[in-house]
Every structure is written in C-alpha cells, then in structure tokens.
C-alpha cells in the first residue's frame, strides 16, 4: 500500500472512531469504527517495530513490540481494577496469554509456513521460553490450589509474595537473554538475510512506535466501553468478553506485527513477539496489576478459576510442544489455532 494512503487511512479512521465515541450513542457504530482504527494503528505499529528491529536486532525488536503491544492491555486492566472488576481483569490476562500462545503464534506460523516450507529459529530460546511458561503456570496454579486452606487475607499476602518473585524472575530473564547470553540466544536464521529497504530512520521509527502505542491504548479503551453494550446485546458472558474479546483487542498490535514478520521469514521475531508477550503478561503485567490494585485500596489476588488455569495450562503445553524443536510449518500453526477455537467455544458456552 502507498505510504501516503496508508497514513491517511490511519488518521481518518482514528478520527472517525473518536467522533463516534464522543458524539454518537450507537455502541455498534463505536465498536465497528474503533475496531477499524485499531487494525490500522496495529499495522502502523507493526511497520514501526520492523524498522526498530532492523536497528536494534530481532530479539530487542520483538521485546519492544511485546512491551508496547501489552501497554494497551495494561491500561485497560488498570481501568477495570479501578472499577473493582477483578474477574474481568483475570479473564483478560488469561485471554492475553492463550491468545498470544495459540492465536498469534498460530496465525504467524500458518502465514510464514504457506510461503516457506519450514521456518527455523533458535531452539535454545524456545527451550527457555517453555521453562518460563511452566514457571508462570505453576505460579498461577499454587494460589488456587491452596485457596481452601488459607484465609482470604493470607491469600492476598501470598499473591503479593508470588507477584514479587515473578517480577524478579522476569527482570533476571531480560538480563540473561539480552546481556549475559545474548549471543547464544540470537536468531542465527536471520543473520544472513539481506536488509530490506526501510522506510524510516531510527529516531523516526521509535517516535512512530510510541505515538502508535498511545493511540492503540486510547482506542482500545474506547472499544472496551462500547463492547460492554454490544456484548450484552449479543448475550456474551463476562468471562468470554474478558478472555477473548478484550484480550484480542488489547493485543491487536502484536497480532499484525508477528504475522507480517513471519511472512518475511523472520519467524524468530514472531515467536519472540507471541511467546515473549505471553511471558510478559504472566510474569510481569499480572504481578504488577496486583501491586497496582493496592493504590486503589482494592487488593487483587492471583487466584484464577479452574477454567482459566486449564486454558493457560493447555495453551502453554501445546505451544511449548510445537516450538521446542526450533522449527515450524504451517500445519503446526493450524493445530494452535484449532486449540484456540476449542477454548473459545468452551468459554462462549460458559455461563
């Protein structure tokens, strides 16, 4: 698409979504226009991330995309916590984790696999990602298991302890992967690839990345307001809205960026975005929200429902199984998407 036309569409659709949000009362119109705006903003964020990755490297670029993409999810969750909607927050956390592990990674593997017979990335990185996801599953599983034997007040204390340890583990992982073992975890598959023409310089790419993220966060919040009425009209349950609708919207940026990179045979960056985002949600965003809830005088615990834990466990298991060998093909992507659809159907019929 022509660059001028692309930017025009981004600006026009964002402006229309703003008009619909502030000057109309039609939830349906707000939902449609805001969704269109987010799609274009996500595409812009994907292009900016690709340019940043060109200058910073695939792993750092993937980390930046996961971080900026999760900013919308974090902002939405903070607003929900302020309203005391903890169940919705936990459902959205669950949805973000399984959405990235199954839908984003699955679509990326399919898109890349249809163009390239087999795509490879660093198997050592895949192994560490699998271990970290196992840590996240264990950390979320423990509070739920011990819930019946621990007083509510102590459950909150246990949640704070686990949250602090998860944040420490995530920070140390960043230090391990980007400092002490940077070379070992580098994606060798893309080192020989010729650099393509990039539209923007380093400074411009970072600026566009920040601006696009801000507008993704703003429009995502608009969508949350409209989706409540739309969901009620369509008869969607709160847990389905949190785990799938809000989660997909909040992570739209990563969806497009990961798929675009896979189609350019940069599956390592796609895995870094999809799996890295899930790890960031489980090991950093969720624990951070526990501490943020203290600021509102409404402490949130890490006790997830059995349905949410089952979904996270299933997602982590199949994603780790498929990606552990450091290679992917389109059929493995199909398996991931099918598991996501199965979970979506189960959550949809969950009253």
């Amino acid at each position: 698409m022509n660059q001028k036309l692309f930017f025009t569409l981004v600006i026009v659709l964002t402006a229309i979504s703003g008009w619909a949000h502030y000057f109309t009362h039609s939830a349906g119109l707000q939902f449609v226009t805001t969704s269109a705006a987010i799609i274009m903003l996500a595409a812009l964020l994907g292009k900016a991330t690709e340019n940043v990755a060109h200058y910073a490297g695939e792993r750092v670029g993937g980390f930046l995309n996961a971080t900026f993409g999760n900013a919308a999810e974090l902002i939405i969750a903070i607003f929900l916590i302020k309203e005391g909607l903890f169940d919705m927050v936990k459902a959205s956390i669950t949805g973000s984790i399984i959405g990235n592990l199954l839908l984003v990674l699955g679509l990326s593997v399919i898109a890349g696999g249809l163009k390239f017979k087999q795509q490879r990335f660093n198997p050592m990185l895949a192994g560490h990602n699998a271990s970290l996801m196992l840590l996240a599953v264990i950390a979320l599983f423990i509070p739920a298991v011990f819930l019946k034997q621990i007083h509510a007040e102590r459950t909150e204390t246990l949640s704070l302890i686990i949250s602090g340890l998860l944040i420490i583990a995530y920070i140390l992982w960043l230090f391990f992967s980007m400092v002490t073992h940077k070379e070992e975890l580098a994606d060798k598959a893309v080192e020989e690839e010729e650099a393509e023409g990039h539209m923007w310089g380093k400074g411009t790419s970072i600026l566009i990345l920040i601006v696009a993220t801000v507008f993704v966060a703003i429009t995502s919040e608009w969508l949350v307001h409209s989706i409540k009425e739309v969901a009620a009209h369509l008869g969607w349950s709160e847990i389905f809205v949190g785990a799938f609708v809000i989660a997909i919207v909040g992570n739209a940026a990563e969806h497009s960026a990961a798929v675009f990179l896979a189609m350019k045979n940069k599956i390592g960056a796609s895995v870094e975005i999809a799996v890295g985002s899930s790890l960031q949600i489980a090991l950093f965003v969720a624990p951070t929200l526990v501490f943020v809830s203290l600021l509102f005088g409404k402490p949130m615990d890490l006790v997830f429902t059995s349905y949410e834990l089952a979904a996270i466990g299933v997602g982590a298991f199949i994603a780790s199984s498929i990606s552990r060998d450091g290679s992917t093909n389109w059929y493995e992507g199909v398996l991931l998407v099918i598991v996501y659809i199965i979970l979506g159907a189960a959550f949809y019929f969950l009253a």
Side-chain angles (χ1 to χ4, degrees):
M1 181 184 293
N2 180 273
Q3 185 172 331
K4 185 176 180 180
L5 175 61
F6 175 73
F7 276 103
T8 300
L9 284 174
V10 171
I11 295 171
V12 170
L13 288 175
T14 303
I16 291 176
S17 67
W19 167 80
H21 177 75
Y22 289 108
F23 299 105
T24 71
H25 299 288
S26 172
L29 179 62
Q30 293 171 358
F31 176 78
V32 172
T33 56
T34 307
S35 296
I38 289 178
I39 290 173
M40 293 307 299
L41 286 167
L44 176 62
L45 187 55
K47 290 180 179 294
T49 301
E50 186 178 343
N51 278 263
V52 171
H54 172 67
Y55 296 104
E58 295 295 331
R59 294 215 63 248
V60 176
F63 167 74
L64 288 174
N65 185 271
T67 300
F68 280 94
N70 285 332
E73 185 74 9
L74 180 61
I75 293 172
I76 292 172
I78 290 175
F79 281 115
L80 292 174
I81 286 176
K82 186 178 180 181
E83 299 299 322
L85 301 174
F86 297 147
D87 290 340
M88 182 76 78
V89 173
K90 293 174 186 176
S92 67
I93 290 172
T94 301
S96 292
I97 294 173
I98 64 175
N100 282 294
L101 284 178
L102 301 176
L103 181 62
V104 179
L105 183 58
L107 291 178
S108 299
V109 171
I110 291 173
L114 290 177
K115 190 173 182 180
F116 304 96
K117 189 172 184 179
Q118 189 173 48
Q119 294 183 295
R120 297 184 179 278
F121 59 98
N122 193 314
M124 181 178 178
L125 175 62
H128 282 294
N129 283 339
S131 298
L132 285 169
M133 278 311 306
L134 180 59
L135 168 64
V137 171
I138 292 172
L140 296 178
F141 183 73
I142 292 299
V145 171
F146 288 88
L147 174 63
K148 294 181 180 179
Q149 303 297 327
I150 300 179
H151 189 272
E153 184 177 333
R154 292 189 174 183
T155 300
E156 295 172 2
T157 303
L158 176 61
S159 296
L160 289 171
I161 293 173
I162 293 176
S163 296
L165 291 172
L166 289 179
I167 291 174
I168 291 173
Y170 184 69
I171 292 174
L172 291 177
W173 161 246
L174 294 181
F175 181 74
F176 173 84
S177 62
M178 297 186 180
V179 180
T180 65
H181 287 67
K182 179 180 179 180
E183 296 300 324
E184 289 82 355
L185 295 176
D187 192 358
K188 305 298 183 182
V190 298
E191 287 186 354
E192 299 177 359
E193 184 176 327
E194 294 293 331
E196 300 177 13
H198 292 269
M199 295 185 293
W200 313 309
K202 183 178 180 180
T204 302
S205 300
I206 294 175
L207 177 61
I208 292 176
L209 190 66
I210 294 173
V211 172
T213 300
V214 170
F215 277 97
V216 166
I218 292 172
T219 50
S220 293
E221 183 190 352
W222 293 347
L223 193 65
V224 168
H225 290 295
S226 64
I227 194 59
K228 291 180 181 178
E229 186 175 334
V230 172
H233 178 73
L234 295 174
W236 293 344
S237 66
E238 184 174 302
I239 191 170
F240 176 75
V241 171
F244 288 85
V245 181
I246 291 180
I248 290 175
V249 169
N251 290 288
E254 290 126 300
H255 297 175
S256 61
V259 173
F260 291 155
L261 289 168
M263 292 175 67
K264 296 178 180 293
N265 203 25
K266 299 179 180 179
I267 192 64
S270 296
V271 171
E272 185 64 27
I273 291 172
V275 179
S277 181
S278 293
L279 291 174
Q280 193 175 79
I281 288 288
L283 302 179
F284 185 77
V285 173
T288 297
L289 290 173
V290 173
F291 287 104
V292 169
S293 68
L294 298 178
L295 301 177
F296 298 106
K298 305 173 183 177
M300 183 183 83
D301 56 44
L302 278 180
V303 179
F304 285 69
T305 67
S306 57
Y307 307 113
E308 292 166 337
L309 291 174
I312 293 173
V314 167
F317 173 75
I318 188 170
S320 298
S321 176
I322 285 177
S323 64
R324 186 178 287 275
D325 62 352
S327 65
T328 61
N329 55 66
W330 68 265
Y331 186 68
E332 291 178 331
V334 170
L335 297 179
L336 291 172
V337 174
I338 286 177
V339 173
Y340 183 76
I341 295 174
I342 290 173
L343 290 174
F347 273 75
Y348 179 79
F349 290 110
L350 185 64

